[in-house]
């Protein structure tokens, strides 16, 4: 059991709640589908990691409000909002040792707000996100940040996901319901 209490994360051990660490402020939780990890965005810019049975650890910090954390293998991507409305960055990291991740020097400017996000392909080689203009969706390489494919649109897509390594699905709202694309 993982609980939010008094601005901190707590876990249940032998029927009692015990803190996992010091209070961290505002939280967003990003559980992994596989692997048992929970990524925690705390106080807007800090990313912490928690694994069942382990302590809560600060892993890295970014420059804005964290809107998503995804990992595939040794590749970690953190999406955060910038000060300008509708603008965001995807910052890429590689695992170095244990739970430690180092920036690999690649940041990708994207369109992002609190209702939109991004998706990392199952093989970790591609990113799906809104174009920086907020009018369309694109796929970028995680190796060099190159835009590989894009689709025009009228607004930020709210649903963005990889169906598999080559196909994506996105929804831009009532005027353009569920469009799919193949890279």
């Amino acid at each position: 059991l993982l609980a939010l209490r008094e601005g901190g994360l707590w876990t249940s051990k032998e029927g009692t709640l015990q803190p996992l660490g010091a209070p961290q402020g505002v939280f967003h939780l990003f559980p992994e589908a596989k692997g048992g990890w929970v990524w925690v965005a705390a106080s807007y810019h800090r990313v912490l990691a928690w694994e069942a049975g382990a302590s809560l650890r600060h892993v890295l910090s970014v420059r804005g409000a964290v809107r998503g954390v995804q990992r595939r293998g040794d590749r970690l991507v953190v999406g955060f909002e910038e000060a300008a409305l509708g603008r965001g960055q995807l910052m890429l990291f590689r695992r170095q040792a244990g739970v430690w991740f180092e920036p690999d020097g690649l940041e990708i400017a994207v369109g992002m707000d609190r209702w939109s996000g991004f998706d990392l392909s199952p093989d970790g080689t591609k990113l799906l996100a809104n174009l920086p203009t907020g009018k369309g969706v694109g796929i970028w390489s995680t190796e060099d940040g190159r835009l590989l494919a894009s689709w025009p649109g009228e607004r930020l897509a709210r649903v963005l996901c990889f169906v598999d390594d080559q196909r994506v699905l996105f929804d831009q709202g009532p005027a353009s319901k569920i469009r799919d694309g193949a890279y």
Side-chain angles (χ1 to χ4, degrees):
L1 173 68
L2 183 64
L4 294 172
R5 182 178 179 191
E6 299 171 0
L9 285 178
W10 296 61
T11 186
S12 177
K13 290 186 181 180
E14 299 174 7
T16 62
L17 284 177
Q18 298 176 352
L20 280 172
Q24 299 289 330
V26 177
F27 284 105
H28 291 274
L29 303 177
F30 305 98
E32 285 188 3
K34 297 177 183 175
W37 287 88
V38 176
W39 297 97
V40 181
S43 295
Y44 302 106
H45 65 278
R46 291 180 293 165
V47 176
L48 304 115
W50 179 72
E51 185 179 24
S55 62
L56 186 67
R57 292 174 276 198
H58 177 262
V59 178
L60 55 97
S61 294
V62 293
R63 297 183 309 273
V66 176
R67 295 293 173 219
V69 180
Q70 292 187 17
R71 180 179 67 125
R72 305 285 188 275
D74 288 341
R75 172 71 77 190
L76 179 72
V77 179
V78 178
F80 60 93
E81 264 187 274
E82 293 189 307
L85 289 176
R87 302 274 306 172
Q89 292 284 332
L90 299 178
M91 195 169 181
L92 284 79
F93 298 84
R94 286 204 188 271
R95 183 196 305 248
Q96 297 304 314
V99 187
W100 190 255
F101 288 85
E102 290 286 337
D104 71 0
L106 189 59
E107 287 189 33
I108 299 171
V110 296
M112 183 178 290
D113 63 16
R114 70 184 66 196
W115 296 282
S116 63
F118 65 94
D119 197 25
L120 181 59
S121 65
D123 65 4
T125 63
K126 294 177 279 302
L127 284 162
L128 173 67
N130 288 292
L131 295 173
T133 61
K135 299 211 179 248
V137 173
I139 295 176
W140 288 265
S141 164
T142 59
E143 294 306 314
D144 58 13
R146 233 173 354 110
L147 182 63
L148 303 172
S150 65
W151 295 268
E154 296 300 316
R155 64 185 70 78
L156 292 172
R158 300 298 184 224
V159 175
L160 297 150
C161 65
F162 276 91
V163 176
D164 54 34
D165 288 330
Q166 300 301 318
R167 295 180 297 154
V168 297
L169 179 72
F170 54 92
D171 180 13
Q172 293 187 306
S176 179
K177 293 193 178 196
I178 307 288
R179 294 177 56 194
D180 61 353
Y183 163 68

